[in-house]
Amino acid sequence: METILEVNNLTMDFGGLRALDNLNIDIRKGEIVALIGPNGAGKTTFFNCITGIYSPTNGDIMISSPKAAGAQKRERINGLKPNQVTEKGMARTFQNIRLFPSMTVLENVMIGRHCRTHSGVAGAIFRNRAMVREEQSVVDDSYRILEKIGLARYVNDQAKNLPYGAQRRLEIARALATEPFLILLDEPAAGMNPQETLELDALITRIRDEEGISILLIEHDMKLVMSLSDRIFVMDYGKKIAQGTPEEIRNNPVVIKAYLGEEIDA
Amino acid sequence: MPTLSEIKKSFLVSLWFMFLTFPIMVIRVNTTEKLVLWRWENMLYIGIGSFLLSFVWRYLLWRKETGKKDTESGGTEAPPFFQRILSDRRYAIPAFVVGIVFVVIFPFVMNTYQTNIMITALMYVVLGLGLNIVVGLAGLLDLGYVAFYAVGAYTYGLLNHHFGLGFWIVLPMGAFMGAFFGLLLGFPVLRLRGDYLAIVTLGFGEIIRLILENWNEFSFGPSGIAQISRPSLFGIQLSLSNSIVYLYFVMIGMVLFTIFVVNRLQNSRIGRAWIALREDEVACQAMGIDKTRTKLTAFALGATWAGMVGVIFAAKTTFINPASFTFLESAMILAIVVLGGMGSIVGVAIAAMILILLPEYLRAFSEFRMLIFGAIMVLMMVFRPQGIVANVRRSYKFQPDKHP
């Protein structure tokens, strides 16, 4: 399997605090990878670093987009702005939902199409044929994505009026609209009930199987993580402490120690 | 709703008011005759008045709350009044015809004074719509908008004074200068938002005004530029009253043009990006929208209108000086946007009309103008924080099967 994201020796300092310490992570095509770890381990910081919200202190973030070809295939994306990273093909969701609350559900997804469309000010004012066609295709594409995610019935509702689980899924829909090769999900199941979590599980698997999009997710719901992921990375205090298949991770003493603390019985 | 506890509350409010206003409303000391007058009847009026007011106030609040609950619990929100009117053909067409007739005959029926006021109001409609792009759509609080207005006015004033350039040549140049200064302001404030942005833009507005006031060689300082030529009609100079009528129609055209362009911008890819930027900057960027570019286009396209209206202003008054471009103007335009409803074109147009025409027609009450103005603002904030006409998100038509 070809590697699509390769993070080498990633380090992030906030003043004297080392939030990420020499992190090495790789994701292959068509994989669902989970990133777990106790609170404050630096998982979200890692997301922010690779999506361009923070600029890492040290290390390399390399992507090889399956869509790009030839010499450009392997690229270093450190220091790119978030919108450029999204354009390269990595889209994310947020831990605390960040939709555009007073826009409609459809418009939220249409925003995701922004970086794949081109019409400018002149096009907006004169409404030439290319612009009208592009606009209609944005609407249609967005609607199709909503249908796929199962949000079609909310299409003209304001995003803020959606039930919680639907808002989470809308974030995924919006990320899908940017045509990514890798989606980064930051705690997608947080606050969901068991039924919704089950649906999410199916949704994520479907995105991977049908679209061929790789997925990296941060999650605390161990049941979901174990059932979904092909591989798991475990972080603690900014360091990677383990990696492997769900089975390996489940029985890894280091991981158990990180989560439950050391036994004091000696 | 009118329970005993509510009456008690209002009663306490009225007691409190009577106590507070006691020194000013009841006691009057006549120093020349060394008399103290006790006007107890005033206290009674205050008591009754505040009792009733507080009652009405809380009744309205209660109604607003229950109204909100109704719409939340499944009841669909009725479409706003204007849209209801406009969507019904039976009303829309006659309303449209009446509107056009009114607009066309207005300058011929009314005197020059009225026409002049109307021109001013129309100018503020365009200014409001321009600022609406920056504040209402892109959510960038700009308190120095008047600076671009000044730039436009001085562009015409100076070019006309030195080179004798005409109105129609300078109008697009004014737009260009407005956009240019919009970018000039945009670059340094890219990283700012909210309060900080407001302060910097406020400073920018003041800087432009102070430059115009103090750079005598360039802008003739506080004495301003006089005898700017009025717009000509295909090279023909018009008489004063004719030129006012002419300017009126220029302004009508300008308003229609602005509404047309702003409406199209709002419903485009760029307009959506602006709204997304307003809603959540981080998410907007994470979804692939170039923040820098989006902000700069908002500043530039917003300032363009101010630049053009500035040119028209200079042509209308034939005299400009920095005193016309104070912070109060910015505040006024901002009030128009907020009162009208952020991002709503119809709302902004109505608010501009109200805020500019009302003070003119209420000259009889000029002493209370600010009082009424303030009261309206407070009432709006409490009862209709979304503005006169709330911006309704449009729904799209989709044919999902057409593009495989």
Side-chain angles (χ1 to χ4, degrees):
Chain A
M1 275 290 196
E2 55 179 322
T3 311
I4 54 166
L5 174 73
E6 197 181 336
V7 178
N8 295 324
N9 303 321
L10 188 72
T11 302
M12 178 80 209
D13 292 337
F14 292 113
L17 178 80
R18 178 149 290 193
L20 297 177
D21 194 354
N22 272 315
L23 218 55
N24 292 298
I25 281 174
D26 64 291
I27 293 166
R28 296 170 210 144
K29 191 163 185 271
E31 226 181 5
I32 298 179
V33 176
L35 184 62
I36 62 170
N39 287 329
K43 304 180 297 288
T44 299
T45 307
F46 173 73
F47 262 37
N48 286 342
C49 276
I50 57 177
T51 54
I53 291 178
Y54 298 150
S55 172
T57 318
N58 221 332
D60 294 316
I61 305 161
M62 313 293 292
I63 57 165
S64 349
S65 164
K67 280 168 202 151
Q72 288 186 335
K73 202 155 169 66
R74 218 169 114 89
E75 276 183 287
R76 187 166 182 268
I77 60 163
N78 295 35
L80 285 188
K81 285 191 189 154
N83 55 302
Q84 291 167 318
V85 173
T86 308
E87 230 166 297
K88 296 270 179 228
M90 298 209 307
R92 67 170 294 177
T93 67
F94 293 88
Q95 184 175 359
N96 39 355
I97 301 175
R98 299 194 87 131
L99 291 167
F100 306 116
S102 62
M103 294 174 92
T104 64
V105 168
L106 186 70
E107 281 175 313
N108 266 277
V109 182
M110 285 166 81
I111 289 294
R113 300 293 305 153
H114 188 95
C115 61
R116 303 289 169 222
T117 45
H118 308 283
S119 66
V121 175
I125 294 171
F126 298 116
R127 289 226 173 131
N128 49 11
R129 203 181 295 159
M131 184 268 179
V132 172
R133 202 179 316 128
E134 183 181 275
E135 194 72 354
Q136 190 59 47
S137 78
V138 166
V139 174
D140 296 343
D141 292 346
S142 305
Y143 185 71
R144 205 165 321 115
I145 291 169
L146 283 177
E147 271 185 329
K148 206 178 301 170
I149 302 293
L151 289 172
R153 66 193 175 106
Y154 296 116
V155 67
N156 284 325
D157 289 357
Q158 286 194 350
K160 64 180 171 201
N161 294 337
L162 253 56
Y164 187 83
Q167 290 195 10
R168 285 249 173 241
R169 276 185 305 175
L170 178 54
E171 264 207 315
I172 297 175
R174 195 177 61 175
L176 271 178
T178 65
E179 293 176 15
F181 62 83
L182 171 66
I183 293 190
L184 309 159
L185 304 173
D186 198 345
E187 297 201 18
M192 282 190 170
N193 64 30
Q195 177 58 32
E196 285 171 326
T197 309
L198 225 62
E199 284 168 20
L200 182 75
D201 189 322
L203 176 66
I204 293 175
T205 321
R206 221 172 69 216
I207 291 173
R208 192 260 310 261
D209 294 345
E210 287 175 11
E211 317 281 326
I213 297 171
S214 315
I215 286 153
L216 172 61
L217 75 158
I218 294 177
E219 190 45 71
H220 283 299
D221 185 331
M222 281 309 142
K223 214 175 121 211
L224 180 71
V225 168
M226 293 300 168
S227 81
L228 257 183
S229 17
D230 299 316
R231 282 189 306 148
I232 299 175
F233 291 93
V234 190
M235 281 177 73
D236 196 17
Y237 295 113
K239 288 194 180 76
K240 182 172 78 181
I241 56 170
Q243 78 177 78
T245 61
E247 207 45 48
E248 290 163 8
I249 295 297
R250 204 194 302 269
N251 304 319
N252 189 324
V254 186
V255 177
I256 295 167
K257 198 177 90 184
Y259 266 94
L260 301 177
E262 235 164 317
E263 277 179 66
I264 319 169
D265 56 1
Chain B
M1 144 71 181
T3 55
L4 204 63
S5 77
E6 294 290 336
I7 293 172
K8 213 170 95 188
K9 260 189 210 158
S10 291
F11 184 66
L12 286 176
V13 167
S14 77
L15 269 187
W16 180 236
F17 264 78
M18 284 194 278
F19 172 72
L20 280 180
T21 55
F22 178 77
I24 46 170
M25 297 306 290
V26 178
I27 309 170
R28 171 187 256 170
V29 183
N30 192 330
T31 43
T32 47
E33 288 170 31
K34 298 209 165 81
L35 275 176
V36 178
L37 221 63
W38 299 89
R39 299 170 297 173
W40 293 108
E41 73 280 4
N42 280 1
M43 189 184 225
L44 190 69
Y45 298 145
I46 297 254
I48 295 170
S50 50
F51 181 82
L52 289 177
L53 266 182
S54 98
F55 213 81
V56 169
W57 179 258
R58 262 176 304 111
Y59 172 70
L60 288 176
L61 274 183
W62 170 78
R63 250 190 47 176
K64 186 179 160 230
E65 286 301 310
T66 46
K68 206 181 267 169
K69 248 176 250 155
D70 278 352
T71 51
E72 266 168 18
S73 62
T76 45
E77 218 166 323
F81 178 72
F82 290 102
Q83 287 201 329
R84 234 167 21 206
I85 291 279
L86 290 179
S87 62
D88 193 337
R89 252 159 197 283
R90 274 178 309 166
Y91 301 115
I93 294 172
F96 200 61
V97 171
V98 168
I100 289 179
V101 169
F102 176 77
V103 163
V104 170
I105 66 168
F106 185 85
F108 302 109
V109 185
M110 299 295 189
N111 55 25
T112 8
Y113 168 69
Q114 305 281 1
T115 314
N116 248 326
I117 296 173
M118 194 45 102
I119 295 174
T120 311
L122 292 172
M123 277 164 49
Y124 277 88
V125 171
V126 178
L127 285 173
L129 289 171
L131 186 62
N132 190 25
I133 292 178
V134 187
V135 178
L137 293 179
L140 305 161
L141 184 53
D142 184 351
L143 293 180
Y145 191 64
V146 77
F148 310 122
Y149 186 34
V151 164
Y154 270 85
T155 305
Y156 184 42
L158 289 170
L159 288 176
N160 187 261
H161 181 86
H162 292 300
F163 307 107
L165 291 184
F167 174 79
W168 289 108
I169 301 169
V170 182
L171 192 62
M173 288 166 86
F176 177 77
M177 286 301 281
F180 174 71
F181 273 80
L183 289 178
L184 210 63
L185 168 66
F187 270 111
V189 301
L190 277 173
R191 305 164 64 98
L192 302 177
R193 48 178 129 167
D195 315 354
Y196 305 99
L197 178 70
I199 292 167
V200 174
T201 52
L202 176 68
F204 178 79
E206 286 301 289
I207 288 169
I208 297 280
R209 191 178 61 84
L210 287 172
I211 288 175
L212 293 175
E213 208 152 80
N214 294 300
W215 193 1
N216 287 332
E217 299 77 36
F218 171 71
S219 66
F220 305 101
S223 52
I225 304 167
Q227 291 186 322
I228 301 166
S229 27
R230 292 172 186 282
S232 60
L233 179 63
F234 303 114
I236 311 159
Q237 283 302 324
L238 299 161
S239 71
L240 180 63
S241 59
N242 277 344
S243 100
I244 287 171
V245 174
Y246 179 48
L247 206 57
Y248 170 83
F249 284 111
V250 168
M251 216 43 240
I252 290 283
M254 184 77 193
V255 167
L256 293 178
F257 177 60
T258 315
I259 291 177
F260 174 79
V261 172
V262 172
N263 184 38
R264 287 206 155 178
L265 282 176
Q266 192 173 331
N267 291 321
S268 71
R269 171 172 174 265
I270 294 177
R272 277 198 305 276
W274 284 336
I275 298 169
L277 189 74
R278 175 187 76 192
E279 302 271 297
D280 191 324
E281 217 175 292
V282 176
C284 163
Q285 231 185 336
M287 284 305 113
I289 291 174
D290 189 341
K291 196 174 81 177
T292 312
R293 202 138 147 221
T294 310
K295 272 193 185 179
L296 287 180
T297 42
F299 271 117
L301 286 175
T304 306
W305 303 107
M308 287 167 98
V309 179
V311 173
I312 295 173
F313 173 75
K316 171 177 171 269
T317 54
T318 69
F319 168 73
I320 47 169
N321 75 343
S324 312
F325 308 106
T326 54
F327 170 66
L328 200 67
E329 292 294 306
S330 289
M332 193 71 179
I333 304 165
L334 187 66
I336 286 170
V337 175
V338 174
L339 189 72
M342 303 262 247
S344 146
I345 292 175
V346 183
V348 168
I350 293 171
M353 289 293 177
I354 292 176
L355 285 189
I356 303 303
L357 294 183
L358 215 58
E360 293 293 340
Y361 292 121
L362 289 181
R363 284 228 176 263
F365 312 95
S366 58
E367 285 166 52
F368 303 101
R369 200 190 290 174
M370 274 302 159
L371 193 70
I372 296 171
F373 195 82
I376 290 177
M377 282 300 187
V378 170
L379 288 175
M380 281 298 291
M381 287 305 110
V382 174
F383 291 107
R384 257 194 103 76
Q386 70 274 44
I388 297 175
V389 182
N391 192 16
V392 182
R393 299 309 314 153
R394 99 179 230 251
S395 38
Y396 296 84
K397 285 197 181 70
F398 29 77
Q399 313 133 347
D401 306 319
K402 220 177 144 191
H403 301 263

